[in-house]
Amino acid sequence: MFRWGRAKGVTQCSCEPEWRGLYTEIDGQRQLALPRDEMATIVGYLDLTAHCAGCGAEYPKPWGLASK
């Protein structure tokens, strides 16, 4: 199981395979999120969080919104 320490605590993904898909919510709508090398500016500005599409665990690494 993947574990990553953060100020909020430990995030765990219980899916097999881990992190099989990511999403975030903007204005009550789910948006596709993708892992990135560094956090997207809009993500930090809006204080968004990404979650595993399978188990709902908060994704602890950098990510950004998928292109439409």
Side-chain angles (χ1 to χ4, degrees), residues 31-42:
Q31 302 290 322
L32 182 62
L34 298 171
R36 295 180 67 163
D37 290 336
E38 51 187 54
M39 193 66 78
T41 304
I42 189 78

Side-chain angles (χ1 to χ4, degrees), residues 1-6 9-15 18-19 50-52 54-60:
M1 187 176 297
F2 178 83
R3 293 175 189 234
W4 188 267
R6 281 181 65 168
V10 175
T11 298
Q12 298 178 26
C13 178
S14 58
C15 296
E18 294 176 326
W19 308 111
H51 298 272
C52 175
C55 68
E58 185 176 333
Y59 188 67

Side-chain angles (χ1 to χ4, degrees), residues 13-49:
C13 178
S14 58
C15 296
E16 286 293 328
E18 294 176 326
W19 308 111
R20 59 176 122 175
L22 298 175
Y23 74 92
T24 191
E25 288 193 19
I26 301 174
D27 294 328
Q29 300 289 321
R30 278 192 176 195
Q31 302 290 322
L32 182 62
L34 298 171
R36 295 180 67 163
D37 290 336
E38 51 187 54
M39 193 66 78
T41 304
I42 189 78
V43 170
Y45 180 74
L46 296 175
D47 194 30
L48 299 172
T49 56

